[in-house]
Each structure stands twice: as C-alpha cells, then as structure tokens.
Amino acid sequence: MRLSMDLELQDIPGQLMQSLEPFKKYKGNIISVVHHRDRKTPRGTVPVQIVFEIDPSNIENIKRHLEENGIVVVRAGEDRFIEEISVLLIGHVLHSDLGDTINRIDSTGFAEVEDLSLRMPGIEEPSSAYLRIRATGKEEIGKSLSILRHVGAEKDLLVIEPIEAEKI
Amino acid sequence: MKEVRISLVGFGVVGHGVLEVVRRKWEALRSLGLDMKVVSVSDINGTLFDETGIDPQRLHAAKTLEGIANLDIIGKEAIQEVDSDLVVEVTPTNIVHGQPGLGHIEEALSSGKHVVTSNKGPLVVAFNHLRGVAQENGVMLKYEATVGGTMPLISLIEKNLVGNEILGIRGIFNGTCNYILTRMMEEKYTYSYALTEAQDLGIAEADPAYDVDGIDTAGKVVILANSIFGMSARYEDVSVTGIRDITPEALNLAWERGYHIKLIGEVPSLTVKPMLVPRRSPLAVGGTLNVASIETDLSGTITVTGLGAGSIETASAIVSDIVSIYTSRQVDG
C-alpha cells in the first residue's frame, strides 16, 4: 500500500539518514523523499515528505521508532493522490448541476475534486468555479482534464486549463 | 554601397511606419552598406513613383495617395511595372482568401523580387506555396512582422537557435486580447467595458471579432506551424476559443489562486484558448505585450516578449527583415 509521511527534522547532520532507518527495518519501499531545506518551519525544523510502499500493519512501528529518535511525525497516512491541477469553469456552473460535474471526477476512483470556490455575480449571469483536482498520477490528471472538457462541451461551460498541465 | 530599390504596396498604418523608419534610420542603414530607396508606393488610388527615391516627408501627412499618385496602376500591375529589388507588402489582411496580398506576393516573387510582409492572410492561406515560389525564383520571403510584431521570434529560431529542434511554441500573440484581459483583471471591468476602452485607445478595431475571437492568434499559429514546424496546417485545423466569455469574477478567482487568464496560442498542437498562467510564469505579461516561449531540445525553454503591434514597431520588424536579406546575402558571397 502506498503511504506518505510528513516529518520535521532537526537541522543537524545525520538526521535524514536516521529518519530513513525504520523504513529499512520494517521493509518499506521508498518511492520519494522530498527534503525542504529551503522551507524551514518557524521552530527551525526542516520538513521532509516521504512517500513509500509498505504493509500497513507496520506503519505504527515506523512512527514509534521515529518518535523514539526525536523525529516529529506531523502526518502519516494513505496518500494515493500525488498530482494536482487547477481548473477554472465559466458558465452556468451551478445550474448545470455542479454536483454532477464534480461526481464525474470523483467517481473515477483515480481523481477527486479537493477544493472548490464559486463566484456568482448575478442570477442570470455566468458564474465561475475554481476546482483543484488531485489524482493518482500524471496520466490520471490528463484523463480528468479530458472528462472536464467533455462535461464542458456538454454543459456549455468554458473550461480553462493551466499551461503547466502538459508540455507544449 | 548596395542600392536597394523598394516598392511599398499598401499605404496604411504599417506602410506609413515603414516610410518613417527608413527615414529615421537612414544613416544607420547606410552604415550597414545599404542605400535604401523607396521608389514606389501603391494603394488603391494608384502609385507614386520616383526612381530617385521618394522623400518620406512628402507623404508624411497624406492619409492616402489620392491626388498624389503619378501612375494609374495598382497592385500586381504596379509590382510588375516598377523596377525594384524588393516589395514590402502591407495591404489589409484577409485570413480567408489571403487577397489582395496573396496575388501581390506571388507576382513579386515570380518576377524575382524579394518580399517582406506583415500581412498574415497570404501566409495563412498559402505559406508552403509562396515559399516554393520564392525558392524557384531564388529570392527571399520574410515575414517576421506577421507573428508577434516587433518581438523577434522567427529570426530568433532560424538564426540564433539554429541546430536546436523546436519542440513547441506557446505564447500570447494578440496584444488587444492581452490588454482587455489585463484591464478586466486590474480594474474589475466587464468584458464589454474593457473592450470599449481598448477601442477608444485605438488598441481594438470597431469590429473586434478578429482579435477577441482568437482568429488573429490562430492565423499566427498557422504561420508558425508551417514555417517553423514544416506542417501543412490550415486555419480550419486550429481549435479556437476566444475571450468573450471571460468574466471579471473568473479573472479574480484565478488571481486569488495564483493565476492569470491569458489567450494562449500553441504550436504544434494548433490550439488557441484562454488558459491559466501562473502569476510567476514568464508568460504572465500584461498590457498589450506579446510573449512567446520556445521549447527546444538543446537550449531548454527560451522566452521573448515585446510589443505585438503598432505602426513603428511593426515597421521596425519589416526593416530588420530587409536588412537581414542583404546582410545574409553578403555572407553567401
């Protein structure tokens, strides 16, 4: 099972290596380690995000091991959604069944609408919605966008995608 | 000193600009070894011809050649009759059939004259054909001013980035749309209010469809596709969405989340549509600026920005093209 953990390390040598030790001990397969040295917390610790695959029964052991070594575990849990994208919709967003629009993404199983903001300037005027979609990978982000394009065409909504979604 | 006899076909905003830039840069052009003479100017009223070179100041205040023309020939006939080395084609653009510019450019190239143009229509309709005619006749067709105005894009790719494979180009190619979207975001204007402001300032035409519906941007996308990517794209191949449906609320919502909304043209995907552009992206330029990011295999991504329109700006791109024809020929021997 793929999980992720947010840690806070002291900014002293050897901390990162020490934080990885329990993953070896409990047979975790590390997918990625992101060490945010440039984004220190107010109390001077360094945030680290580790994504790994492991038998979920071992997660508590890892947490305990880390905490015994003075490493702060901020969050640990399932993290299937590793990619995200912002999309804007313009048109009769609400009256074209916004619930359905969101559900088309959520029902895929590989992506979810995680954040939603609406602007409704007047009853007959077009409204705007900002959606942040998270998905299990880049390909799934692409699939979510194509679902939204399809929904946009069907419901007469203008779908505005970000330029970073795909290479030129 | 190389004498360059130029026929100017089209006497509108850009045509006036060309005369002005040639006048202002007379000394600089001579120091490059070029004695540029505009020997004829044509519009629908006729042709003004002077083999010793027309004094640009003589035409400065004239809106058209009515009452000034001394030859009763226009268009292709004028191109044929006047003894010149190079034709600057700056007649009004038509993206559907390309005329009258298409006929003018064909005529000039087949009579062995170089052509420099800011006219998109002929290139959108018949780029590959015109390039073929130029090659057959051993002359050059230059068109930097058709895409991004004064912003060096085509020459940047053809000269400075030579050897790179161009993987994609993405950018803002219409200053009118960029101006409208910028004002809508900054002042929370509605689309129609921002449009009327742009019209009052002369940034947008009375009939804005060509700009705001993305037609102009799509034409530029076609030119880039055919000239840089060797495609045989037509206008109909471009998927186009304009900016009429953008609301100030949408722009505001995007801004709060770290984005601008810009009308973006992309090649080789052949799309023109409003897109979210991160606020810190080099593509996030405002006002009437144009911008293009060129993605290459060796040099990474290179971004250029500059004024996309305007009489003098467009004319500067035209004069640069003229200079490059003669300076690169000197290298060739």
Side-chain angles (χ1 to χ4, degrees), chain B residues 4-11 15-16 18-19 22 36-43 46-56 58-59 65 68-71 73-90 113:
Chain B
V4 182
R5 285 161 302 162
I6 298 168
S7 284
L8 179 61
V9 181
F11 190 52
H16 280 82
V18 171
L19 286 172
V22 170
M36 279 199 201
K37 279 194 181 115
V38 178
V39 294
S40 71
V41 181
S42 305
D43 73 0
T47 294
L48 174 64
F49 172 74
D50 183 344
E51 63 177 345
T52 64
I54 294 164
D55 176 7
R58 188 174 156 197
L59 290 175
L65 294 175
I68 303 174
N70 55 13
L71 293 178
I73 49 172
I74 63 166
K76 288 200 268 189
E77 203 189 341
I79 292 167
Q80 230 169 40
E81 292 294 319
V82 174
D83 179 20
S84 58
D85 308 303
L86 183 145
V87 170
V88 173
E89 213 293 335
V90 290
K113 299 177 184 192

Side-chain angles (χ1 to χ4, degrees), chain A residues 7-161:
Chain A
L7 309 177
E8 282 183 14
L9 307 187
Q10 301 300 319
D11 191 11
I12 50 173
Q15 278 276 292
L16 185 60
M17 285 309 291
Q18 204 178 20
S19 73
L20 297 177
E21 259 168 36
F23 292 92
K24 182 178 168 194
K25 184 171 174 191
Y26 295 103
K27 299 193 167 43
N29 179 26
I30 292 178
I31 312 286
S32 72
V33 178
V34 185
H35 188 218
H36 295 289
R37 282 212 57 160
D38 53 334
R39 276 200 243 149
K40 272 196 191 172
T41 66
R43 65 180 94 140
T45 55
V46 180
V48 172
Q49 188 186 50
I50 301 174
V51 178
F52 54 100
E53 277 168 349
I54 201 167
D55 177 346
S57 63
N58 276 329
I59 185 98
E60 286 306 318
N61 290 330
I62 291 185
K63 271 173 77 174
R64 200 185 54 246
H65 192 124
L66 287 166
E67 280 161 1
E68 279 167 10
N69 284 314
I71 293 166
V72 179
V73 179
V74 180
R75 188 193 63 87
E78 191 179 349
D79 189 20
R80 304 188 312 105
F81 298 140
I82 54 171
E83 295 287 336
E84 62 173 46
I85 192 170
S86 297
V87 181
L88 208 74
L89 305 176
I90 305 178
H92 294 288
V93 180
L94 200 58
H95 296 296
S96 59
D97 197 346
L98 182 58
D100 168 70
T101 304
I102 293 171
N103 196 41
R104 302 264 194 112
I105 301 292
D106 288 358
S107 64
T108 59
F110 56 69
E112 276 179 25
V113 175
E114 194 205 53
D115 188 0
L116 169 74
S117 314
L118 267 177
R119 288 279 190 288
M120 293 176 289
I123 290 172
E124 287 300 315
E125 288 173 47
S127 47
S128 314
Y130 166 90
L131 311 178
R132 192 162 73 229
I133 297 168
R134 302 191 75 202
T136 51
K138 281 199 166 28
E139 199 181 320
E140 287 74 17
I141 287 281
K143 285 184 194 163
S144 311
L145 278 176
S146 93
I147 292 170
L148 271 186
R149 283 180 207 138
H150 190 78
V151 172
E154 185 187 308
K155 300 185 176 181
D156 199 19
L157 303 174
L158 177 58
V159 179
I160 305 183
E161 302 167 27

Side-chain angles (χ1 to χ4, degrees), chain B residues 206-254:
Chain B
D207 174 9
Y210 186 70
D211 291 316
V212 301
D213 290 337
I215 300 167
D216 173 68
T217 304
K220 291 162 179 171
V221 160
V222 170
I223 294 173
L224 289 174
N226 294 342
S227 65
I228 306 293
F229 293 84
M231 297 166 72
S232 302
R234 295 164 310 153
Y235 178 80
E236 301 77 54
D237 299 329
V238 185
S239 154
V240 189
T241 307
I243 64 163
R244 285 183 202 255
D245 293 334
I246 306 291
T247 61
E249 294 78 25
L251 284 156
N252 186 253
L253 194 50

